[in-house]
Structure formats: structure tokens, C-alpha cells
Amino acid sequence: SQQGEEDPQALSIQEGENATMNCSYKTSINNLQWYRQNSGRGLVHLILIRSNEREKHSGRLRVTLDTSKKSSSLLITASRAVDTASYFCATDSDMDSNYQLIWGAGTKLIIKP
Amino acid sequence: GAGVSQSPRYKVAKRGQDVALRCDPISGHVSLFWYQQALGQGPEFLTYFQNEAQLDKSGLPSDRFFAERPEGSVSTLKIQRTQQEDSAVYLCASSLYGSGGSPLHFGNGTRLTVT
């Protein structure tokens, strides 16, 4: 079953603009991860944020986590054509087995040149 | 270093045929997962191995699906008597540990089409 829900489902922006994607989840968690998937490829891990963290940065990526609202956001700054991909959040519930990740349906991001 | 390798990349099977999908995880990774991904959806959990032990197979859709990892490295997902609804991308992922705090490394998947 899917716990995470990303929104928007699809996002199309001009190169150079910032892209923001959101993820909401239902149960309390230990960790939340973001992954990128290019068309026809596997998923690539981007960033992991723990439940006791509020913000994390990696290059042009910024992730925030609000456990009170059970939501996270992924911000990509100064977008480039190579950022065109689908982005997924995945959570591990602190009530279930700790290896199980629950995935959202993803946000499809298109960067227009 | 080498990543997770899956073969074949594409497989077309006639309904009723058996198929076997292979996954070579990253060397030394304890945990191995199989996921099924439908078009436009996130991965759906199928099964989980810790070394050679299959600790969770709760996501396997039916008893036609079988997975093994006999020596704790390479894994095979077998689907017997394939049906059209089995058409999907099958993703394999490995991680150093088994916890949700350990990032997954994915292969590029096997796209299965059942005709």
C-alpha cells in the first residue's frame, strides 16, 4: 500500500527556475528519503532526512521535514534540463518492520529549455 | 564501482510461459529487495532478503511468483505461467543494511511484457 503522496503529480517549469515538490505521509516515521528516476532507468537515491531533522541540503537540493504535518518538501534550485525525471519520496514507519519503505506515486518534473 | 545489475533488460513472454529475472546486487550488500513498478506509479514491494534468508514475501501477488537468493548474493525472481497482469517493470535494489536509514541502490529494472 502507498503511504506517501507526492504533489503535484506533474510539474513543468523553465530551466533556471526553482522546482518544489511535496510529500505527505500517514504514520509517524523514522526516516524519509527522496529518489529520482529517469525514464527507463532505476531509482537513484538523492537524500535521506531523519525524523529528528528539519532541513537538509545537498548541492542544489534542499529537503525539509515537518513531522507535525507529516509532510516533506524537495526544492531543486536553478533547475537544469538534466533534472527532468520523476521524483519519489519513501518513508519507513516507526511502527512497522524497519526495512519496509512505503513509496508515493511520484512527481513528474519536466524542465523546459 | 559496479552498481546493481539486472538481466534481461526487456523480456517478452507469451501468456502461460515461465520467466526468470536475475539481479546481481552490489558486493557486500546484506539486503536485497524486489519491487514491481507499474507505469506512472511508485515501486510496490514484493519481497525482501537478508543475506540468503527471505524474511518477507508478503508482497508477492500470487503463488506463481517465487524468489530466491541461495548464496546471499545473486537473486532470481521467477514467475510461473505468466499472465497479462504481470506486465510491469521489476526492480531489484540492494542496501548495505536492512534498515530504512540505509539508502537503496537500484538496478535499471527488467521490463516484462506478457502477450
Side-chain angles (χ1 to χ4, degrees):
Chain A
S1 61
Q2 303 279 2
Q3 163 168 234
E5 289 184 11
E6 288 94 338
D7 81 88
Q9 287 189 323
L11 179 62
S12 181
I13 61 173
Q14 292 294 137
E15 194 168 19
E17 292 181 339
N18 295 341
T20 300
M21 288 158 274
N22 303 296
C23 167
S24 59
Y25 55 90
K26 297 187 177 69
T27 64
S28 56
I29 62 170
N30 292 318
N31 305 282
L32 185 144
Q33 302 183 49
W34 283 93
Y35 288 78
R36 183 189 73 232
Q37 185 176 35
N38 292 94
S39 181
R41 313 286 285 188
L43 287 82
V44 174
H45 179 258
L46 295 176
I47 201 162
L48 180 150
I49 187 165
R50 303 192 190 284
S51 59
N52 61 355
E53 297 175 312
R54 291 296 165 257
E55 189 170 309
K56 210 158 180 182
H57 297 254
S58 176
R60 293 184 295 113
L61 305 181
R62 173 179 167 243
V63 167
T64 60
L65 179 64
D66 187 334
T67 53
S68 67
K69 294 181 180 175
K70 293 188 170 59
S71 68
S72 172
S73 67
L74 170 67
L75 168 67
I76 304 174
T77 60
S79 61
R80 304 171 185 168
V82 294
D83 297 326
T84 293
S86 292
Y87 292 81
F88 296 90
C89 68
T91 55
D92 60 315
S93 167
D94 68 359
M95 291 186 288
D96 295 329
S97 54
N98 66 356
Y99 58 82
Q100 268 273 26
L101 289 182
I102 306 299
W103 298 83
T107 292
K108 187 167 184 175
L109 175 65
I110 296 172
I111 308 298
K112 295 180 286 188
Chain B
V4 177
S5 177
Q6 289 189 248
S7 61
R9 282 284 279 132
Y10 303 94
K11 177 70 180 176
V12 178
K14 289 199 169 123
R15 193 172 55 156
Q17 279 185 332
D18 298 349
V19 299
L21 313 180
R22 178 187 168 105
C23 173
D24 275 276
I26 293 173
S27 178
H29 276 196
V30 168
S31 297
L32 185 145
F33 298 80
W34 284 99
Y35 289 93
Q36 183 187 63
Q37 188 177 29
L39 192 64
Q41 297 296 313
E44 289 276 358
F45 171 80
L46 293 177
T47 187
Y48 165 62
F49 289 86
Q50 191 172 85
N51 296 308
E52 69 279 3
Q54 188 175 23
L55 298 188
D56 189 343
K57 54 182 182 179
S58 62
L60 296 176
S62 75
D63 58 7
R64 296 185 295 105
F65 287 70
F66 171 76
E68 60 183 5
R69 194 186 184 198
E71 296 175 0
S73 55
V74 170
S75 177
T76 304
L77 176 67
K78 296 178 180 176
I79 309 173
Q80 297 176 324
R81 303 181 305 280
T82 52
Q83 304 293 316
Q84 282 193 317
E85 61 262 28
D86 301 334
S87 295
V89 174
Y90 291 86
L91 295 168
C92 174
S94 68
S95 70
L96 192 55
Y97 307 112
S99 72
S102 184
L104 295 181
H105 299 261
F106 282 83
N108 284 327
T110 293
R111 181 179 295 279
L112 173 65
T113 303
V114 181
T115 59

